[in-house]
Amino acid sequence: MRIETLAVHAGHTIDPGTGAVTPPIHLSTTFEREADGSYPRGYLYIRNRNPNRDALEQCLAALEGGQGAAAFSSGSAATMSVFQALSPGDHLLASVDVYYGTARLLQEMFVPWGIEVTFVDMTDPGQVEQALRPNTRLFWVETPSNPLLKITDIARIAQIAHQAGARCVCDNTWASPILQRPLDLGADLVVHATTKYLGGHGDVLGGAVICKEEDDFFQRIRQIQISGGAVPSPFDCWLVLRGIRTLPYRMRAHAENALKVAKFLHQHAQVEAVHYPGLPEHPGHAIATRQMRLYGGMASFQVRGGRERAMEVAAKVRLFIRATSLGGPESLIEHRASIEGPGTRTPENLLRLSIGLEHPDDLIEDLAQALG
Ligand SMILES: *Cc1c(COP(=O)(O)O)cnc(C)c1O
């Protein structure tokens, strides 16, 4: 089945008790056992399994083309579960421009716990090969990256990982399975912040890990999910599954609008640089064209005149909302360096855009008046 059809149907069944077409939300924390102590319907206790979480996990696995999925209460909890499945003494390679929260998790929690981490430029396979150690167990890829939209060749990096006897994980939050399927390209695991495009409406926090194969490593992630309990509520699962139904069409509109906005910014005299992989000038354009269906809804640009001018532009927008996060129907603008704080690698004149589902001409007009 094609992905548009999967987005509508995967994880959905008609409720056997009532015939309800839209799934009910199962709030029960506990489930009845038979007289002999068995629980033939498969449910025992909400932390272990819940029908809404099952449905969401089935759908996510189908969308990514994986064997299984584990849903978490946030993208960060999903990310943590992968690191927790490693053992102290293991070495991990991550992109230099990995999501800021992921870099902080590694530095503040997992390095003290005994994980060795090297941050490398994943767009340069030579650098990746040089950073390998005998104990390298995991590669953490994120493409397009935040906030410079760098493109990593997933197939190439997965190949290097496998030659080194390591696993390749891809944080696919920014592309979503509609635009990019890392498991098809050779990755072993996919991580999502479902908070973003999958939920799609800015009203639910969630995450997931999807595996190509339900191997021992994934069983550890499952164990961490169930025993650790950082699981999403039934209602949160229901919201994400509901959001996914329109995901293929939302992603098309996000990407179409973002390309128009990027082209507008690219020719604007007040703009020093535009970072959007859909522009032929972007250094990752050829790889993005190969591994993505469309170029996504995220873009960033650098304003001429430095930090002050960038802040001024962000202050003058009327339609874009000044806020962090991404993937919702409304367009957002963010001065990334100030949210990331001291030690940020982000250029001070950079503004990041999450392009929403408004009419692209309204977005362009707003940026035009703000740039002056
Ligand atoms: C938001 C985000 C996360 C973290 O997800 P939360 O749900 O906020 O914990 C991880 N990776 C990427 C790429 C993100 O954009």
Side-chain angles (χ1 to χ4, degrees):
M1 255 189 271
R2 289 151 187 91
I3 205 156
E4 290 80 359
T5 311
L6 290 174
V8 173
H9 289 285
H12 285 269
T13 45
I14 303 291
D15 180 52
T18 61
V21 172
T22 299
I25 303 172
H26 293 273
L27 295 175
S28 186
T29 56
T30 191
F31 299 84
E32 187 187 32
R33 294 166 73 169
E34 295 302 299
D36 64 2
S38 67
Y39 43 97
R41 286 163 288 206
Y43 296 103
L44 172 69
Y45 180 60
I46 189 171
R47 177 156 44 72
N48 300 43
R49 260 185 91 189
N50 158 275
N52 295 100
R53 201 166 88 212
D54 276 359
L56 174 61
E57 290 177 348
Q58 272 171 33
C59 180
L60 289 168
L63 289 183
E64 288 287 3
Q67 250 183 24
F72 287 87
S73 53
S74 72
S76 302
T79 299
M80 280 237 300
S81 77
V82 178
F83 300 150
Q84 286 171 320
L86 294 168
S87 303
D90 287 350
H91 177 236
L92 173 160
L93 292 178
S95 325
V96 264
D97 51 355
V98 66
Y99 175 68
Y100 194 68
T102 302
R104 283 191 63 171
L105 274 178
L106 286 168
Q107 279 157 343
E108 292 172 10
M109 299 182 67
F110 288 93
V111 169
W113 187 62
I115 300 290
E116 295 171 24
V117 183
T118 310
F119 293 97
V120 288
D121 182 356
M122 290 268 181
T123 65
D124 177 0
Q127 250 199 54
V128 174
E129 274 168 340
Q130 277 190 349
L132 284 171
R133 297 182 192 167
N135 56 338
T136 305
R137 297 280 175 268
L138 200 83
F139 285 43
W140 189 274
V141 174
E142 196 181 307
T143 181
S145 77
N146 179 20
L148 290 174
L149 284 291
K150 286 194 189 163
I151 301 296
T152 295
D153 185 337
I154 299 172
R156 181 82 186 91
I157 298 299
Q159 188 186 32
I160 299 171
H162 295 155
Q163 274 164 8
R167 284 187 173 77
C168 180
V169 184
C170 183
D171 182 335
N172 202 27
T173 300
W174 278 32
S176 92
I178 307 305
L179 305 188
Q180 173 173 286
R181 296 226 308 180
L183 301 182
D184 293 346
L185 297 166
D188 303 286
L189 295 162
V190 164
V191 167
H192 276 288
T194 56
T195 316
K196 315 291 171 54
Y197 288 108
L198 291 163
H201 295 76
D203 52 13
V204 59
L205 179 72
V209 182
I210 298 115
C211 64
K212 188 176 214 159
E213 280 170 36
E214 290 190 303
D215 59 7
D216 289 353
F217 193 75
F218 184 73
Q219 290 313 328
R220 285 180 72 162
I221 290 170
R222 175 70 76 200
Q223 193 66 38
I224 290 158
Q225 177 204 31
I226 291 175
S227 305
V231 289
S233 74
F235 183 50
D236 288 353
C237 294
W238 187 94
L239 278 174
V240 175
L241 192 65
R242 194 265 292 265
I244 288 172
R245 306 194 96 181
T246 54
L247 180 68
Y249 296 92
R250 286 189 285 109
M251 289 317 294
R252 276 178 214 180
H254 283 298
E256 204 174 286
N257 285 357
L259 183 60
K260 286 184 178 154
V261 169
K263 282 183 176 161
F264 160 77
L265 290 170
H266 184 65
Q267 55 74 49
H268 199 285
Q270 293 302 309
V271 175
E272 193 178 278
V274 183
H275 309 285
Y276 185 68
L279 296 176
E281 296 79 9
H282 187 281
H285 181 68
I287 297 168
T289 303
R290 208 162 63 225
Q291 75 185 10
M292 299 179 77
R293 228 164 95 173
L294 296 165
Y295 304 97
M298 295 298 293
S300 64
F301 66 105
Q302 292 173 250
V303 184
R304 274 193 212 291
R307 181 189 168 99
E308 296 293 285
R309 273 290 292 143
M311 292 301 253
E312 250 173 62
V313 172
K316 277 173 77 180
V317 293
R318 296 184 194 129
L319 181 57
F320 277 83
I321 298 167
R322 283 177 300 279
T324 194
S325 199
L326 58 123
E330 60 285 303
S331 291
L332 306 178
I333 189 166
E334 180 179 38
H335 183 254
R336 239 359 245 180
S338 54
I339 193 107
E340 291 180 352
T344 174
R345 304 166 47 91
T346 301
E348 290 286 348
N349 64 342
L350 180 138
L351 295 172
R352 189 183 86 174
L353 303 175
S354 169
I355 300 296
L357 302 175
E358 301 93 339
H359 194 287
D361 293 347
D362 289 327
L363 297 174
I364 289 169
E365 280 168 27
D366 190 32
L367 289 171
Q369 68 77 25
L371 281 160

